[in-house]
Amino acid sequence: MGRSPCCTKEGLNKGAWTAQEDEILRDYIKVHGEGKWRDVPRRAGLKRCGKSCRLRWLNYLRPDIKRGNFSNDEEDLIIRLHKLLGNRWSLIAGRLPGRTDNEIKNYWNTRIAKKAQERQSNQSKIEKKFTMKPQSSDKALPESRDNGLGCNNILGPPAQQDIECSKIACMDGTCGDIPCSLTSGADDMVIDFNINMGKISFPEMVDFDFPMLNDFDISDLSNTVYCKGKEGSPILDQQLMLENSRVSEECVQADIMGSDFRFLASFLESSSEEWLGDA
DNA sequence: AAAACTGTCAACCGCTTGTCA
DNA sequence: GTGACAAGCGGTTGACAGTTT
């Protein structure tokens, strides 16, 4: 026997809500509060499905809904959160006060996804231009660059001196290879890799297998990035990554560099045109 | 002026998850 | 442990407005 439908659809209104229906629902929730959505239509006298009432309230009638265009900051945040979380719109919406998951999803599908697609095709062109293998020290790499992602632009982790990987900080110019590993508690997998913070060769980074790293479900708190030689010392957990994932122009926070691979890949991608321009 | 096309967004649908008896 | 139910979620649809032909 299948599940009973959330409501009988016979005799119910569908489609756009009228101003009168909005008023009835708003008044009802003002008095009775949110919840028990199945009972709402009957008790409020609405010819709507409970599910529809819930959606109308959450996406449109709630008093704290922010209206109007997305600001550049909001768009930037959406892009970065989407890199981190994927299509988990409700999680993303939770980081944008006043915005609903539906609104963000629509905004992504109609605006940002297109931009991302354009950038993706640009990236393909760039990758064709370089054929270097990752982390091959004996090969003649195209000239490494020391700007952009280099020392002067990378900020160290603030007030995290107790974390071994604070050496990633290279404000003072003492940069070097940062050996790290990504472990997945769920799958018992380990991926080792190096990030050379001193001289980042763009072709090296382009060929680095970021998609492989991104196969990890980073929403799983058991996935953590560790520094080699310091077993059990996470650079950042997922929650901290979210809290610290910010970028200002060309300044990248070094603590992110060790953990947010999608962000890093994206940053490299966005810097690629500059690199090519100099070539 | 009208038809065709395109973009946007509210709403719907089906599935999953959480809770409780 | 199991089933029923409510709530939540993300993908998709369709109406409508604006633009192009």
Side-chain angles (χ1 to χ4, degrees):
Chain A
M1 200 173 84
R3 283 179 52 177
S4 60
C6 72
C7 52
T8 60
K9 296 190 167 37
E10 289 163 20
L12 294 183
N13 292 344
K14 286 186 74 174
W17 280 63
T18 65
Q20 196 183 2
E21 287 177 312
D22 282 347
E23 201 182 329
I24 291 170
L25 181 58
R26 202 182 282 117
D27 289 346
Y28 175 86
I29 290 174
K30 209 180 284 177
V31 174
H32 299 94
E34 297 178 43
K36 304 262 183 191
W37 292 107
R38 179 177 275 229
D39 297 338
V40 168
R42 182 175 49 82
R43 297 176 67 180
L46 283 164
K47 288 183 176 175
R48 291 279 179 176
C49 169
K51 227 174 176 182
S52 179
C53 292
R54 174 186 160 271
L55 213 60
R56 183 62 177 173
W57 172 256
L58 292 178
N59 287 340
Y60 194 82
L61 296 176
R62 244 170 44 197
D64 57 333
I65 297 271
K66 195 193 278 184
R67 301 257 159 239
N69 295 336
F70 283 77
S71 67
N72 289 338
D73 282 349
E74 284 177 315
E75 182 176 316
D76 183 53
L77 187 56
I78 291 169
I79 291 169
R80 284 185 290 114
L81 287 171
H82 188 268
K83 283 180 193 300
L84 204 57
L85 301 168
N87 291 0
R88 292 148 105 160
W89 306 115
S90 62
L91 276 178
I92 295 172
R95 298 245 150 204
L96 284 115
R99 300 295 188 182
T100 69
D101 53 356
N102 207 32
E103 195 178 10
I104 292 168
K105 180 173 61 183
N106 283 333
Y107 187 70
W108 177 269
N109 288 333
T110 58
R111 321 273 177 85
I112 303 177
K114 277 183 202 160
K115 289 184 192 175
Q117 214 167 10
E118 284 166 16
R119 283 175 60 182
Q120 181 67 40
S121 68
N122 288 342
Q123 174 69 4
S124 300
K125 290 174 195 164
I126 292 158
E127 287 192 30
K128 279 181 190 166
K129 216 172 160 90
F130 298 101
T131 56
M132 302 307 299
K133 297 291 180 200
Q135 301 182 20
S136 51
S137 57
D138 55 345
K139 288 191 177 175
L141 292 169
E143 189 183 358
S144 293
R145 292 280 300 269
D146 209 2
N147 64 356
L149 286 170
C151 302
N152 293 337
N153 290 330
I154 297 175
L155 308 178
Q160 292 186 358
Q161 299 312 310
D162 54 326
I163 294 175
E164 179 72 8
C165 282
S166 62
K167 66 181 179 184
I168 285 177
C170 54
M171 293 281 287
D172 60 359
T174 58
C175 302
D177 281 323
I178 308 301
C180 293
S181 63
L182 180 66
T183 68
S184 165
D187 301 316
D188 198 25
M189 286 172 63
V190 178
I191 295 174
D192 292 328
F193 61 98
N194 291 316
I195 296 178
N196 183 318
M197 303 300 286
K199 290 189 175 181
I200 292 180
S201 160
F202 177 67
E204 266 187 311
M205 300 305 273
V206 163
D207 280 347
F208 196 85
D209 197 357
F210 285 107
M212 176 182 72
L213 292 173
N214 290 339
D215 283 342
F216 280 83
D217 180 8
I218 56 176
S219 66
D220 180 350
L221 288 173
S222 62
N223 294 334
T224 312
V225 180
Y226 292 94
C227 242
K228 272 187 175 172
K230 188 76 177 178
E231 291 292 321
S233 295
I235 295 175
L236 280 178
D237 65 21
Q238 189 233 12
Q239 187 60 33
L240 285 171
M241 278 160 59
L242 278 174
E243 285 169 4
N244 290 326
S245 59
R246 57 179 177 272
V247 58
S248 170
E249 295 295 328
E250 291 181 302
C251 293
V252 182
Q253 224 169 294
D255 51 2
I256 299 170
M257 301 295 282
S259 51
D260 185 352
F261 305 106
R262 297 172 203 209
F263 172 80
L264 177 54
S266 156
F267 184 83
L268 287 164
E269 186 184 314
S270 68
S271 305
S272 60
E273 285 171 16
E274 182 198 338
W275 286 83
L276 285 176
D278 291 345

